[in-house]
Amino acid sequence: MHSFNKRIKRTVMAGAAALSLITGLAHADTAINGAGATFPYPIYAKWAEAYKTKTGLSMNYQSIGSGGGIKQITAKTVEFGASDAPLSVEKLSEIGLMQFPMVMGGVVPVINLKGVKPGEMKLTGSVLADIYLGKISTWNDAAIAKLNPQVKLPNEKITVVSRSDGSGTTFIFTHYLSQVSTEFKDKVGNNTSVSWPAGVSGKGNEGVASYVMRLNGSIGYVEYAYALQNKMTYAQMQNKAGHFVKPDSETFQAAAAGADWKGTPGFNLMLTNQPGAKSWPITGATFILVYKKQEKPEVAKEVLKFFDWSYHHGSQMAESLDYVPMPASVTKLVEETWKNEVKDTKGNAIWTDAMVQK
Amino acid sequence: MQQETTDSRLGRQHLADRVFQTATMASAGLVFIVLVGIIVSLFVGGWQALTTFGPKFLYTDAWNPVTEKFGALVPIYGTLASSLLALIIAVPISFGIALFLTEIAPHSLRRPIGTAIELLAAIPSIIYGMWGLFVFAPILSSHVEPWLQSTFGNLPVFSILFQGAPLGIGMLPAGIILGIMIIPFITAIMRDVFETTPKFLKESAYAVGSTHWEVVWNVVLPYTRVGAVGGIFLGLGRALGETMAVTFVIGNTHRLSLSLFEPGNSIASTLANEFTEAVGDMHTSSLIALGLVLFLITFIVLALAKFLLLSLESREGTKT
């Protein structure tokens, strides 16, 4: 028995040695690694590709979800994490992280109702909240009819479609609905996944999009790019200023313009329900997480250089994929924050003004 | 000289034997290590949820990441109900196919049909899910579900099963898709075990004037019931853990409803949906605890199967 144990031990150790050899090899090449949110994955991948052709440095990004990204950066297995929902200042300081907004996007309510064309239907925040609460359950409800006198509304049941997986899209959407409806805030609340009181849920933007396209009389919410690419019937929304606006990069940028990034500690800011005549009310930014105290300053420098390059040279690529780039005032603020907050173990700043790649 | 070579060869072979023995033993031991490792890590990961909610975790239906209240009743019910539906659909059909293939079909047809069924088993589950959502669900919602509702919707007791809007997304489509998915597994095993029945037994039965049905029911099935039941439980095991196909059509909502038309959730699809973006510790812990529950359900099902087989075996040879 004893020799058997010994034999097992020997075999296990040999296996472990082989494994460590393999992982050691994988780490040998120079690359920066990040993980997190799925929403910005297409643009991060595009930036990484362009950056690699220019500098030869590759950036590996695993789109495993915001929750996964936060877990990975906490465990220090990646150099940066990415999250669609900003972390609170307490949470940031608890782990020792700083965050900055990287790119923006909008969430769009989409409907499938016979005879209704894209942009024809008008909705307000409170009506949208009541639909998602199940309080408004038919399309010819007086509240919808009042907003849409020119649309012929059928006496059809509304099938509410939501996201089943935890997502930044849901975080932005429920953040907006919680702001415009106290009842929604009390009953459902704001999170990456919530307990929906009505309807069905699909997995991912594509899941919601396919449910909405399949079910007559349904309403759902997807990222702008999905609504655009699938030619879905989006609805107009009433913004804080009382105007009805269509979702496009102009209204998203309008929402971002008025945002007070400077006065918000830790960039912990949501762009929902922003003031401004043209602001799209359901807009949000996606965030990057890095450690304030960097054990490997050389790698951290490369990470910041990559994002700085993306700020200054990636706007067109972002727009081509229907994302909204951060305005110059915000990127300048982010660079300032890097200079002040990201340090090596001796307390020296890693980022300098000279590194800005204009 | 000659003696020496034989000796060294013997020595070498002895060494090779020992290496081989150790390698196989380590492989077998690995199974136990992995099994125990999984159980332990599920317990550790789910500990926070299990201690906070206690046994209530198993029978409450709240699943709210905002208030951090978690109860697993809806996914547990969804897993069991969809798998039960799948068995109700798959077992009779598989039995019929196996019977046809072994007893009735002309020899020229047996091979092609048998191969076709085995190919069904090779289709990835996500394809079943997509087919279910885009092709099957529309047919279900426009033809089958309204018909079910108008036929059974007014019966007492049964009407509960057919309430709600016929969306084509919910417990019924999940059960049907699962049923289709496990048919090839059950069929393949049933056919193989039916074929093990000795020819002379069947021929004797036919000789005394039995019909096909009588031969299968009174000769083939009693002879092969252990294998047949094993096949059914293999199918059930697969249905319990199926993820992607179910996620596509079950509707993924944490609301308890007995109606087959209403959306629900299963344990596997809850995990697939929520694990990546679960930020809160309690949410993650509850999901891991949910994984533990699935593990236990599968374990109980397999243990029951084994128990059933043992009791069947012990009755063998006695007069029934």
Side-chain angles (χ1 to χ4, degrees):
Chain A
M1 197 58 208
H2 182 71
S3 72
F4 169 74
N5 278 341
K6 233 174 163 180
R7 252 181 282 164
I8 292 252
K9 221 183 204 169
R10 230 181 291 155
T11 321
V12 168
M13 274 162 73
L19 261 180
S20 66
L21 193 70
I22 293 167
T23 49
L25 282 176
H27 272 292
D29 59 343
T30 51
I32 51 180
N33 298 296
T38 48
F39 159 65
Y41 171 65
I43 183 62
Y44 290 174
K46 191 161 187 160
W47 281 339
E49 201 194 324
Y51 194 67
K52 194 179 178 182
T53 9
K54 193 177 163 280
T55 63
L57 186 80
S58 59
M59 193 278 275
N60 304 318
Y61 183 75
Q62 306 162 21
S63 62
I64 55 172
S66 300
I70 295 167
K71 276 174 205 151
Q72 297 270 317
I73 185 77
T74 309
K76 298 193 178 179
T77 51
V78 288
E79 277 93 50
F80 70 90
S83 173
D84 283 336
L87 267 62
S88 68
V89 179
E90 299 85 58
K91 180 97 183 171
L92 285 174
S93 60
E94 184 192 313
I95 314 173
L97 295 171
M98 73 147 306
Q99 68 187 352
F100 52 91
M102 201 56 223
V103 69
M104 294 178 290
V107 178
V108 178
V110 286
I111 56 178
N112 175 358
L113 199 58
K114 269 207 185 87
V116 178
K117 287 188 276 295
E120 209 174 15
M121 173 82 72
K122 288 177 179 171
L123 294 171
T124 64
S126 60
V127 166
L128 194 59
D130 283 349
I131 290 174
Y132 270 88
L133 282 168
K135 279 170 70 187
I136 296 177
S137 59
T138 53
W139 281 108
N140 62 354
D141 191 284
I144 303 178
K146 213 178 93 187
L147 297 169
N148 299 283
Q150 77 291 357
V151 181
K152 210 171 145 254
L153 294 163
N155 180 17
E156 209 174 309
K157 279 193 79 151
I158 301 178
T159 304
V160 177
V161 184
S162 52
R163 280 282 286 270
S164 58
D165 51 332
S167 73
T169 314
T170 301
F171 190 88
I172 294 169
F173 191 67
T174 54
H175 188 268
Y176 170 65
L177 293 184
S178 297
Q179 281 199 326
V180 293
S181 160
T182 43
E183 192 180 347
F184 189 88
K185 193 177 178 183
D186 295 338
K187 277 194 181 160
V188 182
N190 174 214
N191 205 335
T192 51
S193 61
V194 297
S195 175
W196 293 104
V200 295
S201 306
K203 183 166 164 51
N205 277 298
E206 62 282 6
V208 174
S210 55
Y211 272 14
V212 170
M213 287 190 279
R214 236 211 30 67
L215 300 169
N216 290 324
S218 61
I219 183 166
Y221 60 91
V222 292
E223 279 151 22
Y224 176 60
Y226 275 88
L228 210 64
Q229 284 153 16
N230 292 313
K231 299 186 178 62
M232 300 182 79
T233 309
Y234 57 85
Q236 289 189 44
M237 288 297 302
Q238 190 182 40
N239 61 19
K240 203 174 184 180
H243 298 286
F244 283 97
V245 284
K246 288 184 179 181
D248 54 35
S249 53
E250 190 194 356
T251 54
F252 297 156
Q253 246 153 5
D260 181 22
W261 290 103
K262 200 161 190 155
T264 315
F267 292 107
N268 181 11
L269 184 65
M270 294 295 293
L271 299 173
T272 55
N273 211 22
Q274 290 290 320
K278 279 187 169 178
S279 298
W280 177 253
I282 328 175
T283 310
T286 184
F287 297 84
I288 298 290
L289 304 161
V290 291
Y291 275 98
K292 281 184 180 174
K293 204 166 117 186
Q294 291 287 348
E295 284 157 17
K296 287 182 279 183
E298 283 313 307
V299 181
K301 196 179 273 180
E302 293 304 325
V303 171
L304 296 183
K305 266 162 96 174
F306 168 74
F307 286 118
D308 184 67
W309 180 85
S310 305
Y311 274 152
H312 294 291
H313 300 271
S315 300
Q316 241 171 12
M317 284 179 259
E319 274 161 1
S320 75
L321 291 175
D322 304 313
Y323 292 91
V324 183
M326 301 304 298
S329 61
V330 180
T331 59
K332 202 163 170 342
L333 196 65
V334 170
E335 285 158 359
E336 286 290 309
T337 319
W338 287 346
K339 202 167 68 181
N340 296 332
E341 293 193 2
V342 184
K343 307 272 170 71
D344 63 12
T345 44
K346 289 179 199 128
N348 300 320
I350 288 173
W351 184 257
T352 57
D353 286 333
M355 286 160 71
V356 175
Q357 298 165 63
K358 283 258 163 74
Chain B
M1 196 65 190
Q2 186 67 32
Q3 187 63 33
E4 252 178 43
T5 3
T6 322
D7 267 358
S8 70
R9 192 192 289 160
L10 266 181
R12 251 203 333 266
Q13 281 174 346
H14 188 61
L15 183 75
D17 257 3
R18 287 186 53 147
V19 169
F20 185 69
Q21 216 176 10
T22 315
T24 50
M25 211 186 283
S27 311
L30 201 64
V31 173
F32 277 99
I33 295 170
V34 169
L35 187 71
V36 172
I38 289 175
I39 294 178
V40 169
S41 51
L42 282 176
F43 253 108
V44 171
W47 190 248
Q48 193 187 358
L50 293 173
T51 47
T52 311
F53 303 115
K56 263 195 352 213
F57 185 72
L58 295 177
Y59 60 80
T60 51
D61 65 347
W63 189 270
N64 194 330
V66 182
T67 56
E68 304 219 306
K69 290 253 179 318
F70 297 101
L73 184 62
V74 175
I76 291 174
Y77 169 75
T79 301
L80 294 177
S82 59
S83 302
L84 183 71
L85 264 177
L87 279 190
I88 291 172
I89 293 161
V91 170
I93 294 178
S94 306
F95 180 68
I97 299 172
L99 198 161
F100 177 77
L101 284 179
T102 51
E103 300 298 324
I104 298 166
H107 275 274
S108 57
L109 265 183
R110 288 184 189 185
R111 257 192 113 85
I113 295 180
T115 314
I117 287 162
E118 276 157 21
L119 281 177
L120 265 185
I123 297 176
S125 62
I126 193 156
I127 305 289
Y128 278 106
M130 287 162 71
W131 176 79
L133 179 60
F134 292 111
V135 181
F136 186 63
I139 298 172
L140 208 60
S141 84
S142 54
H143 301 295
V144 181
E145 289 189 345
W147 176 80
L148 281 172
Q149 217 157 25
S150 62
T151 316
F152 300 105
N154 296 320
L155 291 177
V157 188
F158 272 113
S159 63
I160 279 187
L161 295 174
F162 304 104
Q163 296 302 308
L167 296 175
I169 290 164
M171 205 57 87
L172 183 66
I176 295 174
I177 296 283
L178 276 179
I180 296 170
M181 287 181 68
I182 62 175
I183 281 174
F185 290 89
I186 304 181
T187 304
I189 290 177
M190 278 192 174
R191 185 196 57 187
D192 288 350
V193 296
F194 285 180
E195 272 172 355
T196 61
T197 316
K199 255 206 171 85
F200 70 88
L201 277 183
K202 288 194 280 184
E203 277 164 3
S204 317
Y206 283 122
V208 296
S210 301
T211 59
H212 279 306
W213 177 254
E214 282 166 341
V215 170
V216 171
W217 196 250
N218 297 319
V219 178
V220 176
L221 209 55
Y223 188 83
T224 58
R225 62 186 160 200
V226 173
V229 170
I232 292 172
F233 276 93
L234 186 78
L236 178 59
R238 171 152 183 163
L240 286 171
E242 179 48 46
T243 312
M244 281 326 291
V246 175
T247 304
F248 268 82
V249 291
I250 201 167
N252 305 305
T253 45
H254 288 283
R255 284 194 306 276
L256 193 63
S257 168
L258 288 177
S259 170
L260 297 176
F261 292 179
E262 292 285 344
N265 218 339
S266 80
I267 295 178
S269 59
T270 304
L271 292 176
N273 274 317
E274 297 179 19
F275 206 78
T276 48
E277 296 269 351
V279 184
D281 289 341
M282 188 56 84
H283 194 184
T284 313
S285 177
S286 299
L287 287 170
I288 296 173
L290 208 54
L292 183 67
V293 171
L294 182 60
F295 197 101
L296 291 180
I297 290 176
T298 322
F299 183 79
I300 291 169
V301 164
L302 289 179
L304 272 180
K306 200 83 199 164
F307 181 73
L308 199 68
L309 295 178
L310 282 177
S311 67
L312 280 175
E313 262 167 19
S314 66
R315 274 195 297 153
E316 227 147 69
T318 59
K319 209 170 169 219
T320 45

